[in-house]
Every structure is written in C-alpha cells, then in structure tokens.
Amino acid sequence: TAAERASWQAWNRSGRDYPRDRSVHSLFEAQVRRTPDDIAATDGKRELSYAELDAWANRAAHALREQGVGPDSVVGLHVGRSLEQVVGVLAILKAGGAYLPLEPEHPDARLAYMCSDSGVQSILSVGSLVERCSAWSGQILRLDDEAALASYPSSTPEAADLTPQHLAYVIYTSGSTGQPKGVLVPHGGVVNYLDHAQSYLQPHHRGAVMGTPLSFDATVTALFAPLLAGKRLIVLPSEAGALFAGLSHYLFDDGRDWLFKLTPAHLDGLYANYPAHTGPSERRHCLVIGGEQLTTATVAKWQRDRLPNAEYVNEYGPTETVVGCSIYTVRNENDLKRCGHAVAIGRPIQNTRLQLLREGGLSPLGATGELFIAGAGVARGYLNQPELQQRHFVEHDAGGRATPFYRSGDLARYGDNGQLIFVGRNDEQIKLRGYRIEPAEIEACLCAFAGVAEACVLLSDRLATPALVAYVVAPGAAGREDALAEQLRDWCKAGLAAPQVPAAFKFVAQLPTTANGK
C-alpha cells in the first residue's frame, strides 16, 4: 500500500556526509599528526605509540613499493594476531595495496589456493611462518626483520593514486562451488562504515579490544575504529584459553569501558566459563555482536548477571557489504522486550538502503522477503567469479532509478516497530560461531577422498552445542567406521578452515531421496 511504501522510505532515510574521498590509511595518518605520543596499540607485553606504529608501517610500505605494490595489488598477510599484524595491515594500505588475510591456522592447500586465485604480488610474514610462505606465489617480506626494514625511510610514502573504488582488502568466504570465493572490498565502503563506527559505536569508550581473526571481516571494527580516533587498540592472542582470559579481564577486571566485537558464541563461552567474580559489573562497555543470530535469551542473561549497564549492539551484515549494514541496540530491558526469540537486526546504518523483495516486488509489512542491500558499503564483487557476481550483484529499481544491490540470500521481515527481523536463509548456507559455511564446499572435500561416493553436511542441534555433522556414503566402510572417521577428519583439516571440519561423521548406505529421485 502507499502507507507501507512511505514507511519503507522513511526507514531507509540514512543519508549522512562522510569523508568519501579519503582512504582508510590517510585517516589514520591524520590521527598520527594529532596524537603522535599517545599509545596506539598494545598486546599486553609491548606497546606502540601512534608515531612508532606509523614509522614501522611506513618502512614496510616503502619496501612493498619497491616490490611493485600499488593500487589494487593484492598483498598476503601471513601473521597471527599481534602488533605485527596491525603494522602489516597499515603498511599494505599505505603502499596502495589491498590486504589478504592468510591465517596461520588454516591449511596450506587453502592458503595456496587463495594466493594463486588472487594473484598475490607480495606476502608479509614473521619468524618461522616465513618458511611456510615460500611455496606460495609472491615476494616475501619479513615484518620482524628490523635490520632489513631499517634501511627504508620512516616517513610517509608518497600517496598512491587511489580512488574510493580501489581495494582496501580481499577476504575469502566459504564457496558453494567447492572452493572459497574472494570478496573485493574498496576503501569507500570501509570509510563509510568506520565513520558510522566513530559516531555511533565508540564515542565514550577508551578504545577497542580485538579478539577475532583478521579473515573475519568483523575485525575491521575493533582494528580501525580506535586508531582513527586517537584511542587505544588492545590486541588479544589467538590461542583460545588466553583469548578468553583476556576478554574476561577487560570485560570485568580492568575498570575502564571498552568497545568489543564479539560473536554470540563468544558470549556463551564467556558466560559459561568465566563467572562474574562479585556479581554484575557496573562497566558500560559497548558490545557489538555479529556473525550469527543473537538470541534474546543470551542478551537477557548478560543483562541480568554480567553487564547490566552495557550496550548490546546486534550488527547484521554480509562480507559483501562491509562488516555491518544494519544494527539494533539493546540498552535496557524494554529494548529487549520489543524482540521475540531473536534480537532484531534493526535499521540500516548511514548511507545504506535495505529492501525486502518478494516475487519481484516490495514485501508487504510483516511478510518475509529476501534482503537486498544497496549503498556505500556494497563491495565491488567477487574475484574471478563472473557467474556468481552476476547472480548476487544486481540492479533493481529503487525509487524510480536503477540502483546496484547485493542480493544477500537472507530472509527477513519488518516488525511492527519498523525493525528488521532475520528469518533465515533461502539456500543451504550455514552460520556457525560467526563463520559463513557453504556445506557444498565441505561435501566436495569429502567426495575427493578415496572411497567416498557421496556426502551431505548438515548443522545439527542434537549435540551439546550446534555443530556440523557429515553423512557419508562409503561402500566398504562397514567394520572400520571409527578409523575412517578419523581419516576423514584429518583429510578435512588438511583442506578446510577449522570451523568447516565436521564434529561427527555418520556412515549411511545411501542418502535419502524424494519420490522422484532428487
């Protein structure tokens, strides 16, 4: 109806000015000039001032320039979560390139594919990880080789001729074709998102705590938001025990207010294993939560037992639309009561338009439709995937003119208060502990194992926690199921990222089919 259309237009009025002609690193360099002596980043053992962080990144950037890195050059970053990782990201951007996270925890085959597919020009690494990079394409530069970097100037490199459409990073997500797919994210979208983060998420906090992998684009929030505002970045280690101990310390013991970027799995793990020491804390942290559906039960128990005064920001957004494109903030019990089983995903962030389409037209209010996303955050597309790009990056009539949209595959509906509510997927993609997982990629890996005829991977909620279960047709497996399951587990670990490795393997004579054989 006309009234519904007017409501939709009102909910999508998100226009806001931002530094659209700037790059991410130029905004950091401006902050360095304002607060050179303030602490920029620390890992608990070492700390770097803004000037020190800038100088280290500048030297590495000059070295990358010498290797030919420039606009749209893809540079691999094979470094664990550390100060060197922060330096590496800034160095790649300063050289004009785009960073490609190469997580040390991922198998060699996956990382080698990403380097080959993206045409990596150079790779930044450290210590013993350097030897591992030698089999991949690209020149190698050691970030921790002080003697080698000392020969390069600490001054800011001459600015690369960048536009907002040049790449800031490439992140690979799980792919339905059996291989991960690279998402091309430009500076313009990242700058818009970080401008939103500066104004909405972080105005009253000391800085941010970074505890997620760089290959998880949610890390962009905690990594850049403090560094563009003269605040402090806390880098937590990758090892699970140390990570959770660090999160617990800054959440409950530190005595200052911080911005955290977490998944619902983080919250559940912290709640179960790190009880509040003396009852609920008075800290007024900002907890930005994303990666998978956030239930009202999770937030309610944190409000009641852990952090009653914190802000809980439910952030929704695919990698293809730069970290987050909509948010819903829970500041009190009433905000939570407006939601049902799950916390709403809310309204669009600045310069973003969200449309729910159903059978080619706008969805009526309350009806489920597929979520299409337009605005400053839409990525350039997929790397070397023209058919996939054509299917997901589309043009649609928005207010009388053709507008580029990302077709998310997510289903949602509008609640009575105009807040978007996530409903599910229109395909087989799975969200698990913050990771997007395509079962087809795991199934392709399993079917490449000798003796496996067919495989089907599902998300099961029958185990202690939600987990992947692989159903495998392997003729001749009878009597050796346990041994074969271990072999398949090792096979998956060698070819897939850790969250994609099934928790259980079930051997069946055949996969069930419909009456017509599908």
Side-chain angles (χ1 to χ4, degrees), residues 169-514:
Y169 58 81
V170 178
I171 283 184
Y172 276 75
T173 66
S174 185
S176 59
T177 60
Q179 292 285 7
K181 58 183 183 293
V183 182
L184 304 170
V185 180
H187 277 269
V190 184
V191 169
N192 177 69
Y193 173 79
L194 291 173
D195 188 71
H196 148 76
Q198 298 287 1
S199 61
Y200 189 88
L201 300 178
Q202 196 182 249
H204 306 301
H205 300 97
R206 179 72 181 271
V209 178
M210 186 173 87
T212 49
L214 193 61
S215 58
F216 182 23
D217 72 326
T219 305
V220 166
T221 315
L223 171 59
F224 288 114
L227 295 180
L228 303 193
K231 298 185 178 183
R232 189 170 299 197
L233 168 62
I234 308 294
V235 182
L236 297 183
S238 302
E239 191 273 321
L243 166 63
F244 274 83
L247 288 172
S248 178
H249 169 73
Y250 286 104
L251 281 165
F252 303 120
D253 303 330
D254 179 66
R256 291 168 290 186
D257 295 332
W258 299 94
L259 172 73
F260 293 82
K261 194 64 177 284
L262 304 166
T263 66
H266 280 126
L267 291 181
D268 291 338
L270 283 162
Y271 185 89
N273 298 299
Y274 291 86
H277 305 301
T278 56
S281 168
E282 295 302 312
R283 298 266 54 86
R284 296 180 178 273
H285 301 303
C286 179
L287 277 58
V288 186
I289 307 155
E292 58 189 330
Q293 192 171 53
L294 176 64
T295 66
T296 51
T298 292
V299 177
K301 66 186 180 182
W302 271 79
Q303 280 187 325
R304 182 185 66 240
D305 302 329
R306 296 292 187 268
L307 296 170
N309 298 319
E311 285 187 342
Y312 299 85
V313 181
N314 191 29
E315 184 178 69
Y316 163 85
T319 302
E320 291 86 347
T321 61
V322 186
V323 187
C325 60
S326 74
I327 54 172
Y328 182 84
T329 301
V330 178
R331 294 186 176 91
N332 53 53
E333 190 176 345
N334 289 332
D335 291 330
L336 204 57
K337 286 180 178 178
R338 296 188 182 100
C339 303
H341 163 74
V343 179
I345 60 174
R347 299 273 181 86
I349 70 164
Q350 65 183 47
N351 303 307
T352 301
R353 176 177 296 193
L354 305 177
Q355 281 191 183
L356 293 181
L357 298 183
R358 179 187 178 101
E359 298 176 354
L362 289 173
S363 289
L365 299 188
T368 297
E370 183 178 357
L371 185 54
F372 284 62
I373 305 160
V378 176
R380 272 174 36 180
Y382 296 119
L383 184 63
N384 303 324
Q385 300 272 2
E387 292 183 8
L388 198 62
Q389 175 143 343
Q390 187 175 15
R391 189 157 67 244
H392 285 278
F393 291 85
V394 300
E395 284 199 348
H396 182 72
D397 182 5
R401 58 191 176 91
T403 301
F405 278 84
Y406 170 67
R407 182 176 187 173
S408 70
D410 288 332
L411 301 176
R413 63 180 176 82
Y414 277 112
D416 294 338
N417 56 359
Q419 304 289 348
L420 273 173
I421 299 166
F422 178 82
V423 174
R425 291 285 303 173
N426 69 355
D427 57 19
E428 296 179 347
Q429 187 186 99
I430 291 169
K431 284 285 191 76
L432 179 64
R433 297 192 298 279
Y435 290 89
R436 280 167 55 177
I437 294 173
E438 295 282 0
E441 184 177 349
I442 309 170
E443 292 160 3
C445 179
L446 289 168
C447 289
F449 186 86
V452 172
E454 290 183 279
C456 178
V457 175
L458 301 174
L459 182 65
S460 173
D461 58 5
R462 297 182 180 182
L463 304 175
T465 57
L468 297 177
V469 176
Y471 295 86
V472 179
V473 178
R480 59 186 190 94
E481 288 89 351
D482 290 346
L484 184 55
E486 284 304 309
Q487 292 174 341
L488 288 174
R489 185 171 286 106
D490 291 341
W491 176 261
C492 289
K493 287 179 179 177
L496 300 169
Q500 296 172 291
V501 178
F505 295 86
K506 306 288 186 182
F507 295 94
V508 295
Q510 65 181 38
L511 297 180
T513 58
T514 61

Side-chain angles (χ1 to χ4, degrees), residues 39-241:
I39 299 301
T42 178
D43 62 1
K45 298 176 181 177
R46 301 172 294 165
E47 58 184 29
L48 294 171
S49 69
Y50 273 85
E52 291 168 336
L53 175 58
D54 189 54
W56 191 353
N58 285 339
R59 290 189 177 96
H62 281 289
L64 289 173
R65 282 279 180 87
E66 194 174 84
Q67 293 182 352
V69 172
D72 278 358
S73 298
V74 180
V75 179
L77 185 57
H78 186 51
V79 181
R81 200 156 55 242
S82 60
L83 294 182
E84 284 80 4
Q85 189 180 69
V86 179
V87 171
V89 167
L90 291 170
I92 294 167
L93 295 176
K94 283 169 170 281
Y99 68 87
L100 168 66
L102 300 170
E103 299 292 350
E105 294 81 9
H106 289 183
D108 282 354
R110 182 183 181 88
L111 299 181
Y113 170 81
M114 289 160 57
C115 288
S116 173
D117 184 60
S118 63
V120 158
Q121 186 164 337
S122 299
I123 297 175
L124 293 179
S125 193
V126 295
S128 60
L129 294 176
V130 170
E131 185 177 341
R132 189 181 177 198
C133 304
S134 59
W136 309 333
S137 61
Q139 306 169 82
I140 300 172
L141 176 66
R142 279 189 61 160
L143 279 169
D144 57 348
D145 190 341
E146 294 183 21
L149 290 181
S151 63
Y152 293 95
S154 61
S155 58
T156 303
E158 182 180 346
D161 189 17
L162 290 174
T163 71
Q165 279 302 302
H166 278 116
L167 295 179
Y169 58 81
V170 178
I171 283 184
Y172 276 75
T173 66
S174 185
S176 59
T177 60
Q179 292 285 7
K181 58 183 183 293
V183 182
L184 304 170
V185 180
H187 277 269
V190 184
V191 169
N192 177 69
Y193 173 79
L194 291 173
D195 188 71
H196 148 76
Q198 298 287 1
S199 61
Y200 189 88
L201 300 178
Q202 196 182 249
H204 306 301
H205 300 97
R206 179 72 181 271
V209 178
M210 186 173 87
T212 49
L214 193 61
S215 58
F216 182 23
D217 72 326
T219 305
V220 166
T221 315
L223 171 59
F224 288 114
L227 295 180
L228 303 193
K231 298 185 178 183
R232 189 170 299 197
L233 168 62
I234 308 294
V235 182
L236 297 183
S238 302
E239 191 273 321

